[in-house]
Amino acid sequence: MRESNRPSKQSPAGKPGQRFKPSTDKSPRHADKMTSSSGRSSRRSDAVSGKFGKSRRHDAVTASGSSTSGRGERRSDTESGKFGKSRRHDAVTASGSSTSGRGERRSDTESGKFGKPRRHDAVTTSGSSTSGRGGRRSAEPAVRSSNVPKQAISLKSARRKGEWLELKLPDGLSGAPIGVIMKQLPIAAKLADKLIASNEAVKQGNHLRLKLFPQESPGFPADWEELNILYEDDFTLVVNKPAGVEVHPSVQGQRGTLAHAVAAYYEASGQSCRVRHIHRLDKDTTGPVLYAKNEFAHYEFDKAMREKKIERIYLAVAEGVFTQKRGKIDKPIGQDRHHSTRRRVSETGEPAVTLFDVVDTFADHTLVRLRLETGRTHQIRVHLSSIDHPLAGDGMYGGTRRYIHRQALHGERLVWIHPWTGERMEVRASLPADMGKLLDDLRAE
């Protein structure tokens, strides 16, 4: 899948708008915990400790609402001036002001937000959400909250400067200890501790600088392929995965995966980022794959996955005609004892829940839209097969290959919360050609 008319000018962060093709690196996930301070006989910092983990071509973008950080502070209304460059797109609506057509200017609300989003099938940024847990333990003198009241930090004042993110502090915080300030940002407590301990969180007058974009190696050799970038900014990359490509290597020494193509894209665009995929798709499933471009974003996305705040919506063509227009499949999934790569419904398996809505019905097939509440391997394929509606083309789970030679499953939309701004983001991926032909054939019957 290729994307045309990609911008070539560099972002403020020096990233040319080039792309290449095919996934990621696995990083341990960690829980984000918070402990509160007390003021008994000995003084303790009111900062609190926690844990952290390592964690562009679409048709529409909307950005609205205001967000709050998880530290109890209101974020500014729809941040502007955020970092990096995202690619051009087909249409943008921001806070009620809409534009259409490629190359048209976006509203002030959206402009400059982590640069200019790339062209893509659909991106939405909206809503009011929270991120981060706040709290950290600091070696600085304890400061009582009554002496240093919490104040909103305008995230739109933040600018990326190389490896650093710089933001202006409100007057009431310019004299506060850095530990108190960090508690009011959407940064997990333990990551905040790490930044302070390594002198990567520095307060200079009424400005705070955070080293959120350190140079990293990609972790995979570069394999040069064309990538269909659905969305990109300094924290996030979303790639439209084609069929026949694995997200990451499944055996040692394997090449040609999406991870290798993303590594090549980072190299070609001058980005020293580690390849960090947040979720996976099966080899023959198409659709968006989300990547975190730094440790901070990885932690936030990883936590969002655990808390089921990243939504994946799929379109599939299943065999047979559904008797229900919508429903819920709640069946645990485990590994097939007789086939190492297969999965099956099993009472001893892991909980798995799939929601479906019928979109269209044909003579002997049904187009359905599916939403995952869990993310088990082969979940949609196993669940639909278990109710006698295997995916068309899915030979492994009982489907026939009369119309299509892979499972007819496509990731239609991906919805996530932006790790820094807390805005709701959404991308859409166009239906691939083989599934489009499949639907045309079914309608012609």
Side-chain angles (χ1 to χ4, degrees):
M1 301 182 183
R2 296 176 177 268
E3 180 181 275
S4 63
N5 300 324
R6 306 294 294 279
S8 59
K9 66 177 183 178
Q10 291 190 338
S11 70
K15 308 174 191 172
Q18 303 178 5
R19 17 173 242 326
F20 291 81
K21 183 174 173 183
S23 215
T24 43
D25 143 288
K26 298 182 180 176
S27 306
R29 300 179 176 181
H30 305 265
D32 183 28
K33 300 182 179 179
M34 183 169 72
T35 60
S36 63
S37 58
S38 64
R40 295 199 177 224
S41 58
S42 61
R43 296 184 65 185
R44 293 175 57 189
S45 166
D46 63 336
V48 193
S49 63
K51 293 185 179 179
F52 73 104
K54 297 189 240 178
S55 88
R56 238 163 268 234
R57 169 178 166 134
H58 37 291
D59 298 327
V61 179
T62 64
S64 63
S66 62
S67 58
T68 65
S69 71
R71 321 252 188 258
E73 289 298 322
R74 296 280 305 171
R75 291 194 184 166
S76 63
D77 291 338
T78 312
E79 315 298 344
S80 64
K82 303 170 188 143
F83 328 90
K85 283 200 175 184
S86 346
R87 295 185 186 259
R88 292 186 306 111
H89 41 66
D90 296 328
V92 181
T93 60
S95 298
S97 173
S98 65
T99 64
S100 64
R102 300 188 180 180
E104 293 191 20
R105 293 187 61 83
R106 293 178 292 174
S107 71
D108 291 339
T109 311
E110 178 66 12
S111 64
K113 186 175 301 183
F114 304 99
K116 304 171 183 175
R118 294 181 181 263
R119 291 178 48 231
H120 42 296
D121 292 323
V123 171
T124 307
T125 65
S126 63
S128 172
S129 62
T130 63
S131 63
R133 294 229 176 165
R136 45 168 304 282
R137 181 167 284 126
S138 169
E140 299 182 54
V143 179
R144 299 183 66 86
S145 59
S146 58
N147 296 330
V148 183
K150 288 191 174 183
Q151 299 187 33
I153 298 176
S154 175
L155 297 182
K156 71 179 181 180
S157 68
R159 294 289 186 275
R160 179 175 177 176
K161 296 184 177 181
E163 296 182 311
W164 297 80
L165 179 65
E166 183 177 276
L167 58 158
K168 186 176 181 179
L169 301 173
D171 293 339
L173 284 177
S174 59
I178 195 169
V180 173
I181 298 170
M182 294 294 282
K183 290 175 62 177
Q184 303 184 48
L185 295 175
I187 300 179
K190 194 169 182 180
L191 179 55
D193 285 337
K194 179 183 176 182
L195 291 171
I196 293 174
S198 57
N199 204 32
E200 294 176 344
V202 181
K203 185 164 71 73
Q204 298 176 337
N206 63 345
H207 285 83
L208 178 69
R209 302 183 73 214
L210 305 170
K211 194 174 182 179
L212 295 185
F213 312 103
Q215 294 192 7
E216 299 177 287
S217 61
F220 295 88
D223 286 340
W224 300 87
E225 295 289 345
E226 188 76 13
L227 283 184
N228 182 358
I229 305 294
L230 297 177
Y231 178 82
E232 182 178 11
D233 61 33
D234 280 330
F235 299 90
T236 312
L237 176 70
V238 183
V239 179
N240 191 13
K241 190 187 85 66
V245 176
E246 294 188 66
V247 170
H248 59 83
S250 55
V251 295
Q252 189 173 3
Q254 181 181 352
R255 300 291 294 267
T257 71
L258 199 59
H260 296 93
V262 170
Y265 170 71
Y266 285 155
E267 182 179 313
S269 56
Q271 303 183 67
S272 299
C273 299
R274 187 175 181 84
V275 178
R276 298 176 171 98
H277 71 276
I278 304 303
H279 64 101
R280 296 175 292 175
L281 294 177
D282 293 343
K283 180 179 180 179
D284 288 326
T285 300
T286 56
V289 177
L290 177 65
Y291 292 87
K293 297 176 71 174
N294 57 23
E295 184 180 32
F296 160 71
H298 193 180
Y299 168 76
E300 293 298 325
F301 286 146
D302 213 28
K303 181 163 70 76
M305 283 292 289
R306 294 193 304 271
E307 297 174 353
K308 301 178 181 180
K309 293 180 179 178
I310 295 180
E311 188 177 4
R312 292 161 289 167
I313 298 95
Y314 296 82
L315 280 177
V317 177
E319 296 185 353
V321 176
F322 283 56
T323 57
Q324 294 178 264
K325 291 301 182 182
R326 63 176 51 188
K328 176 180 180 179
I329 308 172
D330 186 352
K331 297 181 180 182
I333 294 177
Q335 189 166 358
D336 192 322
R337 295 176 300 172
H338 307 291
H339 198 304
S340 61
T341 61
R342 278 176 54 98
R343 298 295 184 271
R344 65 184 181 90
V345 170
S346 169
E347 292 183 357
T348 60
E350 296 180 288
V353 178
T354 304
L355 307 177
F356 69 84
D357 288 277
V358 171
V359 177
D360 202 356
T361 300
F362 310 99
D364 195 33
H365 289 79
T366 305
L367 176 65
V368 290
R369 179 172 285 115
L370 306 113
R371 290 170 172 81
L372 299 180
E373 289 193 358
T374 55
R376 309 303 174 204
T377 301
H378 298 179
Q379 178 172 319
I380 291 175
R381 300 165 66 186
V382 173
H383 271 174
L384 290 186
S385 179
S386 73
I387 61 171
D388 299 322
H389 291 292
L391 294 177
D394 192 1
M396 179 177 283
Y397 293 103
T400 61
R401 297 181 175 175
R402 174 184 172 189
Y403 298 96
I404 190 169
H405 297 284
R406 66 170 180 94
Q407 66 260 21
L409 181 60
H410 170 66
E412 178 189 33
R413 284 187 287 154
L414 175 69
V415 183
W416 74 98
I417 303 300
H418 194 281
W420 179 254
T421 71
E423 292 174 304
R424 182 182 185 274
M425 309 289 293
E426 177 178 331
V427 295
R428 292 176 179 266
S430 299
L431 201 67
D434 59 349
M435 282 189 64
K437 183 180 184 303
L438 166 61
L439 293 175
D440 289 341
D441 290 344
L442 293 176
R443 292 186 181 107
E445 287 188 345

